Amino acid sequence: MMDGGTIWDARNTSLTIDQWAVKIEEALEQAGRSEAIFNVDPNDNREFDTIFIGGGAAGRFGSAYLRAMGGRQLVIDRWPFLGGSCPHNACVPHHVFSECAAELMLARTFSGRFWFPKMDGVTVNMKEIVDLFRRGRTGPHAVMNYQSKEQLDIEFVLNAPARIIDAHTVEVAGRRFKARTLVLGLGARPQRLAVPGVDLKGVYDYTSFVETLDYEPGNTAVVVGGSKTAVEYGCFFNATGRRTVMLVRSQLLKLIPDADTRTYVIDRMRDQGIEIIEGAEVVRIEGDSRGRVAKLVAKTPNGPLEIKTDFVFLGLGETPNSEAAVEALGVKTDPKTGAVLVDDSLRTSVPNVYAVGDLIGAPMEMFKARKSGTYAARAIMGQAISYRPTDWPDFLHTHYEVTWLGLGEDEARKRYRNVVVIRMPPHNPNGLDIGLPASDRVMLYAMAKPRMSGFQKLVIDGDSRRIVGAHHVGYGARDAFQYLYVLVKQGLTIDQLGDMDELFLNPTHFIQLSRLRAGQKELRDL
Amino acid sequence: MMDGGTIWDARNTSLTIDQWAVKIEEALEQAGRSEAIFNVDPNDNREFDTIFIGGGAAGRFGSAYLRAMGGRQLVIDRWPFLGGSCPHNACVPHHVFSECAAELMLARTFSGRFWFPKMDGVTVNMKEIVDLFRRGRTGPHAVMNYQSKEQLDIEFVLNAPARIIDAHTVEVAGRRFKARTLVLGLGARPQRLAVPGVDLKGVYDYTSFVETLDYEPGNTAVVVGGSKTAVEYGCFFNATGRRTVMLVRSQLLKLIPDADTRTYVIDRMRDQGIEIIEGAEVVRIEGDSRGRVAKLVAKTPNGPLEIKTDFVFLGLGETPNSEAAVEALGVKTDPKTGAVLVDDSLRTSVPNVYAVGDLIGAPMEMFKARKSGTYAARAIMGQAISYRPTDWPDFLHTHYEVTWLGLGEDEARKRYRNVVVIRMPPHNPNGLDIGLPASDRVMLYAMAKPRMSGFQKLVIDGDSRRIVGAHHVGYGARDAFQYLYVLVKQGLTIDQLGDMDELFLNPTHFIQLSRLRAGQKELRDL
């Protein structure tokens, strides 16, 4: 360890979670001017097996795993907490906003009835909700610091940027640390749009929305993008009572694999009043005299479009933060995406240097971040591993939770000659205006506004009787898809599914619907 | 078929779901005075393989399964719809009320903030919610009639009581039907309390609450019972803003197997203001001059208790409706519970007579009703089957959803020498006042009222590394437990669990928490 830079040594102190929260808040308020937080064991004379550069999901989980295996690691992060952007300004705030969207849709649907307030014409203050999150987010941060230090035995340096010296050496807070290997976990950042006016005040992405919103946006929100982030935030803005226009370059929610499911989802977004313009391209954003957004100009299939607004949200995907590693180490990256290239063992092009998490590109999902961290740890500790996710269950939020695994119906029909589909609502002359499905958070809809109560579909290969796809719009099914996915990968049949024990009134009606058909030798749709 | 009685022949009509709803509502309004609804195929000359007496979950699913296998069945129900009491006045309304309880707890917690109305001192009208359900319940009924007829090809006679003539003969609406076998699916009814005053107006059980509530109860609700039904309704009454007193004969929620989980659940009920008196016995209920409940008198460990109230709810479990079958056929019943005794093939003591659903006793759960119906169908169609549920995932509602499978920690410690526990929140000096867990419907709590954001625990046999118990309080995990249970029965290890793909921010944090420990050879608590 070299000398230099001021540090606060956490080693001999056991902060409670509350105390960590105070520490983190102080550090965040001082924005990089406070001391580095050191939790490095001076009595451990072993070489570090690795240094994780970046303490987000990948670095923290990789650290925990390597430590659990008996190795020695160090994890370094510029923020005063472990866990990275997810709980700070990325996925966790989105869950807060999506919860608000779901609650607000319910409140607006039942406006003035029962205990629900009158919501007609009510615009909900967004900044108050952002502020709630900004105050509350330190809580999870503090849990992760506490857990990492007291329960997982992770060594870390926080609240200080790391500088990569070479493939074995990192400098932080004026000290140099050496390790057998490095693991790069530098994350990603929101993509920007290359149009005039994109730097005006009032143009946000998911990071700056949480970090810098300091006024209450007006009555019109413009969202640029058509995939997860754009839709999740767009539905929230809409739910607050604002006119919300979504400008989608190609097609909205292409990633939802089942066409009926996608239609259900988009129709409900339109029902809530979201204006969706596909094939749209932003031309420029114009500002007022104070440098604030005043207008957005776009090209659309129906001609030019001008929208007066003081609030534009860019939901355009993410760019890996690979520049520093390229510069310091010369790691190879994908020329198109900027992602650091790795092999199935998470090794970069530079010997002894691994990369994990969003830095290595799609899927930029939590499970991949965390698992790539742990797989890198296992590789470094000498295990023969292979990790390259090609298929996984997936979800997104609108005002609803939309979850899927496997194949959509159309794709299944391309692959199997005898596809059987089980749907709820079933095909019937009244369409969606029928009193099922019902379950978590849609009971009031099922009773009073049935078409809002969700949609679900199982796709089955009728010959093998195996489930090949499952799709759900509603609430309370996302967690289930994690486990259902494993069973489907095992070859789950409609017979096995129908023989399970449902916890009625279950959000996925899959078990009971399967049971209604499982007696058939030649399966038919339901 | 004999002649006599007026019938409406549904055979040659394809009613839409909407049209079924109208038909069902008309029949319910005329309360037994309308025509029997016949859907019997005059062109099928085969003998009936069986007649299901009772078209609830067991009879309907058994019918569908037998039909799917190519057999011929008839199902008869006194109500004008298939599906039975569950969607009419049992489990489905409870889900409506539990949804209200969850929403009201959220609204009260954030009273006057964001878009939430000021809830201080607000009592929510219960009758309005009951009326909403009474209007809405026909929707699911209609779906089931439509599905049963148009998609499942079930033959049925509805809106007319069945009279059992002998083990092969049933009379309904003046016609006699003969079958190879009978399946009794007569259901169960709420248990009554043998104390003076129990027949006063104002004493309800889950059935009469839905069917007959015709006034708005006052400020105090007294609930008698301490298990699922009592707690589910008690939390709803509490959430409406009423003083709610729960009188529990022994111990509240004994059925929750994990002590920490149970404590978390009960503490949160108390936080919401529910008064829980264990070891209490109702002595009598006193009425006013108009025959309405005015006061309840109980014995408690702290002496006699009198509570002024106009609303008493009995949540005391259920009694099988076995009397008619005993009288007509002499089927043997359990002298203690009144349940019809069956063997592992669902056969009663009378040859060719089977029994299914709540009629055969505990567990009176939906999965058992439906599955016992399908297993009886398979037995009747000549398959060698065995069905006797001994273990299943389970849940109940408070203001939360409480779900569990397998062993609680204490029981696991009796059975395994090396039990490892993973909890969230973890053991820590700040206890529950920390910013995790977070996920569906608890995001606002996690940000502002962390101790309300839930509790979860995994119980692991450290030697085999297998999951032996899982426990969750929060929302959005119930569906998952259906599938997780199957994996646990397969022998799921912490290593396999940690290698799954979480759909972050997942309600059960089990996958990621397992991954933090899975690297260890000797597992430790987290």
XYZ file of all heavy atoms in Angstrom, chain B residues 74-129:
444
model
N -72.070 -36.103 -16.218
C -73.075 -35.070 -15.997
C -72.706 -34.399 -14.680
O -72.248 -35.068 -13.750
C -74.466 -35.693 -15.891
C -75.631 -34.705 -15.681
C -75.824 -33.827 -16.919
C -76.918 -35.461 -15.349
N -72.848 -33.080 -14.643
C -72.626 -32.390 -13.374
C -73.877 -31.583 -13.062
O -74.458 -30.951 -13.952
C -71.339 -31.532 -13.394
C -71.324 -30.527 -14.532
C -71.103 -30.832 -12.052
N -74.292 -31.660 -11.815
C -75.546 -31.024 -11.396
C -75.265 -30.047 -10.262
O -74.528 -30.378 -9.317
C -76.549 -32.092 -10.887
C -76.807 -33.141 -11.980
C -77.862 -31.432 -10.448
C -77.626 -34.333 -11.500
N -75.816 -28.858 -10.369
C -75.661 -27.900 -9.269
C -76.945 -27.121 -9.072
O -77.643 -26.788 -10.024
C -74.502 -26.939 -9.539
C -73.997 -26.328 -8.246
O -74.627 -25.368 -7.730
O -72.974 -26.825 -7.723
N -77.204 -26.797 -7.829
C -78.421 -26.040 -7.502
C -78.306 -24.580 -7.946
O -79.296 -23.904 -8.172
C -78.710 -26.117 -5.999
C -77.687 -25.425 -5.143
C -77.876 -25.735 -3.655
N -76.688 -25.344 -2.902
C -76.548 -24.169 -2.278
N -77.521 -23.264 -2.304
N -75.430 -23.887 -1.623
N -77.074 -24.100 -8.051
C -76.894 -22.729 -8.520
C -76.938 -22.688 -10.050
O -76.673 -23.706 -10.708
C -75.559 -22.182 -8.014
C -75.648 -21.578 -6.644
C -76.705 -20.916 -6.109
C -74.621 -21.576 -5.649
N -76.410 -20.502 -4.836
C -75.135 -20.881 -4.532
C -73.325 -22.071 -5.583
C -74.399 -20.675 -3.373
C -72.578 -21.861 -4.437
C -73.114 -21.177 -3.331
N -77.203 -21.537 -10.626
C -77.298 -21.451 -12.096
C -75.935 -21.303 -12.782
O -75.885 -20.840 -13.922
C -78.165 -20.199 -12.317
C -77.892 -19.346 -11.128
C -77.655 -20.293 -9.975
N -74.888 -21.655 -12.090
C -73.547 -21.538 -12.675
C -72.671 -22.656 -12.129
O -72.931 -23.193 -11.042
C -72.916 -20.179 -12.333
C -72.928 -19.879 -10.870
C -71.911 -20.344 -10.045
C -73.987 -19.187 -10.288
C -71.929 -20.107 -8.680
C -74.019 -18.953 -8.909
C -72.983 -19.417 -8.109
N -71.630 -22.976 -12.882
C -70.608 -23.898 -12.405
C -69.508 -23.104 -11.709
O -69.288 -21.934 -12.003
C -70.037 -24.697 -13.578
C -71.035 -25.712 -14.179
C -70.563 -26.209 -15.533
C -71.223 -26.889 -13.212
N -68.792 -23.738 -10.808
C -67.720 -23.050 -10.083
C -67.936 -23.051 -8.580
O -66.996 -22.921 -7.807
N -69.194 -23.157 -8.189
C -69.477 -23.348 -6.779
C -69.342 -22.106 -5.928
O -69.389 -20.978 -6.425
N -69.152 -22.333 -4.640
C -69.164 -21.231 -3.671
C -67.949 -20.332 -3.806
O -68.016 -19.148 -3.458
C -69.240 -21.790 -2.250
O -68.098 -22.585 -1.987
N -66.855 -20.855 -4.304
C -65.616 -20.066 -4.326
C -65.794 -18.714 -4.992
O -65.541 -17.686 -4.385
C -64.484 -20.865 -4.958
S -63.107 -19.818 -5.434
N -66.243 -18.670 -6.236
C -66.395 -17.351 -6.854
C -67.664 -16.626 -6.415
O -67.848 -15.465 -6.751
C -66.448 -17.673 -8.352
C -66.986 -19.060 -8.425
C -66.489 -19.763 -7.194
N -68.528 -17.317 -5.681
C -69.817 -16.725 -5.355
C -69.809 -16.038 -3.998
O -70.234 -14.899 -3.859
C -70.898 -17.806 -5.406
C -72.273 -17.243 -5.550
N -72.635 -16.455 -6.618
C -73.371 -17.340 -4.758
C -73.899 -16.091 -6.477
N -74.370 -16.613 -5.359
N -69.296 -16.753 -3.006
C -69.278 -16.109 -1.687
C -68.163 -16.607 -0.771
O -68.220 -16.393 0.428
C -70.656 -16.269 -0.997
C -71.093 -17.713 -0.908
O -70.254 -18.606 -0.763
N -72.391 -17.959 -0.987
N -67.129 -17.219 -1.336
C -66.054 -17.755 -0.478
C -64.699 -17.140 -0.819
O -64.394 -16.029 -0.401
C -66.033 -19.277 -0.567
N -63.895 -17.832 -1.630
C -62.507 -17.355 -1.779
C -62.357 -16.122 -2.647
O -61.497 -15.282 -2.386
C -61.575 -18.459 -2.266
S -62.356 -19.821 -3.111
N -63.159 -15.968 -3.683
C -62.975 -14.801 -4.553
C -63.315 -13.491 -3.837
O -62.525 -12.546 -3.880
C -63.720 -14.970 -5.891
C -63.680 -13.687 -6.703
C -63.083 -16.108 -6.700
N -64.463 -13.414 -3.129
C -64.683 -12.156 -2.400
C -63.580 -11.866 -1.390
O -63.180 -10.710 -1.224
C -66.041 -12.373 -1.716
C -66.327 -13.843 -1.819
C -65.624 -14.307 -3.042
N -63.079 -12.907 -0.754
C -61.980 -12.663 0.180
C -60.814 -11.987 -0.535
O -60.155 -11.102 0.025
C -61.567 -13.975 0.883
C -60.099 -14.207 0.984
N -59.499 -15.398 0.682
C -59.076 -13.387 1.323
C -58.204 -15.298 0.842
N -57.915 -14.107 1.222
N -60.552 -12.362 -1.783
C -59.459 -11.705 -2.518
C -59.790 -10.246 -2.825
O -58.902 -9.404 -2.823
C -59.127 -12.477 -3.793
C -58.240 -13.652 -3.530
N -56.876 -13.618 -3.735
C -58.495 -14.877 -3.039
C -56.354 -14.778 -3.402
N -57.313 -15.563 -2.973
N -61.058 -9.960 -3.096
C -61.439 -8.559 -3.282
C -61.187 -7.785 -1.992
O -60.587 -6.710 -1.992
C -62.922 -8.441 -3.701
C -63.355 -6.983 -3.731
C -63.155 -9.098 -5.064
N -61.628 -8.341 -0.871
C -61.487 -7.636 0.404
C -60.010 -7.507 0.800
O -59.592 -6.490 1.340
C -62.286 -8.346 1.500
C -63.751 -8.513 1.159
C -64.441 -9.676 1.495
C -64.447 -7.514 0.486
C -65.782 -9.833 1.172
C -65.791 -7.662 0.149
C -66.462 -8.825 0.503
N -59.232 -8.549 0.506
C -57.806 -8.481 0.858
C -57.081 -7.467 -0.024
O -56.140 -6.816 0.421
C -57.162 -9.861 0.744
O -57.657 -10.709 1.775
N -57.504 -7.350 -1.274
C -56.931 -6.293 -2.117
C -57.252 -4.922 -1.525
O -56.385 -4.044 -1.463
C -57.483 -6.399 -3.542
C -57.017 -5.263 -4.440
C -57.105 -5.618 -5.910
O -56.741 -6.751 -6.271
O -57.543 -4.763 -6.704
N -58.486 -4.757 -1.062
C -58.857 -3.486 -0.425
C -58.024 -3.241 0.829
O -57.577 -2.120 1.082
C -60.347 -3.472 -0.078
S -61.425 -3.447 -1.530
N -57.798 -4.292 1.602
C -57.004 -4.138 2.829
C -55.592 -3.661 2.496
O -55.052 -2.759 3.141
C -56.963 -5.454 3.605
N -54.991 -4.263 1.479
C -53.632 -3.870 1.093
C -53.613 -2.426 0.597
O -52.737 -1.633 0.969
C -53.109 -4.812 0.001
N -54.583 -2.081 -0.227
C -54.635 -0.722 -0.769
C -54.919 0.299 0.332
O -54.368 1.394 0.327
C -55.715 -0.636 -1.859
C -55.380 -1.400 -3.121
C -54.174 -0.825 -3.843
O -53.909 0.389 -3.750
O -53.462 -1.613 -4.504
N -55.789 -0.066 1.244
C -56.135 0.871 2.315
C -54.974 1.071 3.275
O -54.747 2.175 3.763
C -57.378 0.376 3.060
C -58.683 0.693 2.344
C -59.835 -0.130 2.905
C -58.993 2.194 2.459
N -54.201 0.020 3.537
C -53.021 0.196 4.402
C -52.044 1.164 3.744
O -51.473 2.035 4.405
C -52.351 -1.149 4.692
C -51.134 -1.002 5.610
S -50.463 -2.573 6.215
C -49.677 -3.217 4.740
N -51.873 1.014 2.440
C -50.985 1.930 1.719
C -51.526 3.358 1.788
O -50.788 4.309 2.083
C -50.869 1.464 0.261
C -49.860 2.198 -0.623
C -48.433 1.897 -0.191
C -50.048 1.822 -2.093
N -52.826 3.505 1.525
C -53.426 4.838 1.542
C -53.342 5.468 2.935
O -53.053 6.656 3.073
C -54.887 4.761 1.081
N -53.554 4.672 3.965
C -53.486 5.222 5.322
C -52.053 5.572 5.703
O -51.808 6.558 6.391
C -54.073 4.233 6.335
C -55.583 4.086 6.211
C -56.210 3.250 7.309
N -57.619 3.027 7.015
C -58.596 3.916 7.244
N -58.309 5.077 7.795
N -59.838 3.633 6.913
N -51.125 4.766 5.250
C -49.715 5.028 5.586
C -49.240 6.325 4.937
O -48.453 7.068 5.530
C -48.838 3.847 5.122
O -49.322 2.652 5.725
C -47.389 4.066 5.510
N -49.719 6.584 3.726
C -49.292 7.788 3.011
C -50.426 8.822 2.942
O -50.457 9.663 2.044
C -48.781 7.413 1.618
C -47.493 6.652 1.685
C -47.482 5.260 1.708
C -46.281 7.326 1.791
C -46.282 4.552 1.817
C -45.081 6.629 1.893
C -45.089 5.239 1.906
N -51.293 8.742 3.922
C -52.451 9.646 4.003
C -52.063 11.106 3.750
O -51.198 11.663 4.442
C -53.048 9.492 5.404
O -53.999 10.492 5.637
N -52.683 11.708 2.739
C -52.458 13.126 2.474
C -51.175 13.443 1.720
O -50.910 14.613 1.419
N -50.385 12.416 1.425
C -49.145 12.650 0.657
C -49.365 12.191 -0.785
O -50.160 11.317 -1.058
C -47.986 11.858 1.258
C -47.576 12.354 2.625
C -46.441 11.510 3.192
N -45.163 11.769 2.517
C -44.030 11.129 2.816
N -44.019 10.215 3.766
N -42.914 11.396 2.166
N -48.583 12.766 -1.680
C -48.701 12.414 -3.094
C -50.173 12.536 -3.514
O -50.785 13.566 -3.271
C -48.123 11.022 -3.354
C -46.778 10.824 -2.688
C -46.548 9.796 -1.792
C -45.737 11.725 -2.930
C -45.326 9.645 -1.177
C -44.506 11.582 -2.304
C -44.296 10.545 -1.422
N -50.718 11.477 -4.073
C -52.120 11.539 -4.505
C -53.060 10.888 -3.484
O -54.261 10.817 -3.700
C -52.285 10.818 -5.846
C -51.982 9.351 -5.732
C -52.867 8.354 -5.472
C -50.706 8.741 -5.818
N -52.218 7.157 -5.392
C -50.875 7.358 -5.612
C -49.398 9.214 -6.063
C -49.814 6.454 -5.622
C -48.350 8.315 -6.077
C -48.566 6.954 -5.870
N -52.499 10.420 -2.394
C -53.341 9.687 -1.445
C -54.253 10.643 -0.685
O -53.826 11.708 -0.256
C -52.474 8.896 -0.470
C -51.722 7.778 -1.120
C -50.365 7.907 -1.404
C -52.356 6.600 -1.467
C -49.651 6.879 -2.015
C -51.661 5.565 -2.083
C -50.301 5.701 -2.353
N -55.518 10.226 -0.505
C -56.451 11.093 0.228
C -56.091 11.124 1.712
O -55.375 10.260 2.208
C -57.796 10.395 0.014
C -57.451 8.949 -0.175
C -56.131 8.942 -0.910
N -56.603 12.133 2.402
C -56.439 12.169 3.863
C -57.330 11.096 4.459
O -58.543 11.093 4.249
C -56.812 13.546 4.396
C -55.795 14.589 3.986
C -55.767 15.789 4.916
C -54.581 16.678 4.568
N -54.915 18.100 4.562
N -56.723 10.178 5.176
C -57.481 9.025 5.664
C -57.736 9.074 7.161
O -58.423 8.203 7.693
C -56.723 7.731 5.317
C -56.595 7.450 3.837
S -58.181 7.154 3.006
C -58.645 5.553 3.676
N -57.168 10.072 7.847
C -57.353 10.117 9.309
C -58.832 10.174 9.644
O -59.552 11.050 9.174
C -56.671 11.362 9.902
C -55.171 11.271 9.781
O -54.672 10.225 9.317
O -54.486 12.253 10.122
N -59.265 9.243 10.443
C -60.646 9.229 10.892
C -61.646 8.798 9.827
O -62.849 8.806 10.071
N -61.159 8.435 8.650
C -62.073 8.026 7.579
C -62.455 6.561 7.748
O -61.583 5.691 7.857
C -61.418 8.230 6.195
C -62.273 7.592 5.097
C -61.189 9.708 5.922
N -63.738 6.297 7.800
C -64.227 4.922 7.790
C -64.762 4.623 6.395
O -65.604 5.364 5.882
C -65.346 4.729 8.831
O -64.842 5.117 10.106
C -65.780 3.272 8.885
N -64.230 3.585 5.818
C -64.627 3.230 4.452
C -65.889 2.381 4.501
O -66.014 1.487 5.341
C -63.473 2.493 3.743
C -63.928 1.909 2.416
C -62.290 3.439 3.550
N -66.792 2.661 3.595
C -68.064 1.960 3.520
C -67.853 0.517 3.049
O -67.396 0.276 1.946
C -68.961 2.722 2.535
C -70.399 2.274 2.594
O -70.681 1.090 2.395
N -71.307 3.198 2.883
N -68.164 -0.434 3.905
C -67.965 -1.849 3.548
C -69.056 -2.351 2.614
O -68.812 -3.169 1.749
C -67.997 -2.731 4.801
C -66.887 -2.457 5.768
S -66.459 -3.901 6.780
C -67.910 -4.070 7.792
N -70.255 -1.868 2.855
C -71.358 -2.388 2.046
C -71.178 -2.053 0.570
O -71.502 -2.857 -0.307
C -72.688 -1.840 2.577
C -73.884 -2.486 1.883
C -75.195 -2.125 2.525
C -76.336 -2.619 1.648
N -76.296 -2.059 0.281
N -70.619 -0.873 0.296
C -70.328 -0.512 -1.096
C -69.405 -1.522 -1.763
O -69.535 -1.839 -2.946
C -69.630 0.851 -1.146
C -70.553 2.026 -1.316
C -69.778 3.341 -1.406
O -68.592 3.319 -1.814
O -70.359 4.370 -1.062
N -68.429 -1.998 -0.989
C -67.464 -2.946 -1.551
C -68.118 -4.314 -1.719
O -67.924 -4.992 -2.731
C -66.198 -3.007 -0.663
C -65.525 -1.621 -0.638
C -65.233 -4.072 -1.169
C -64.431 -1.462 0.393
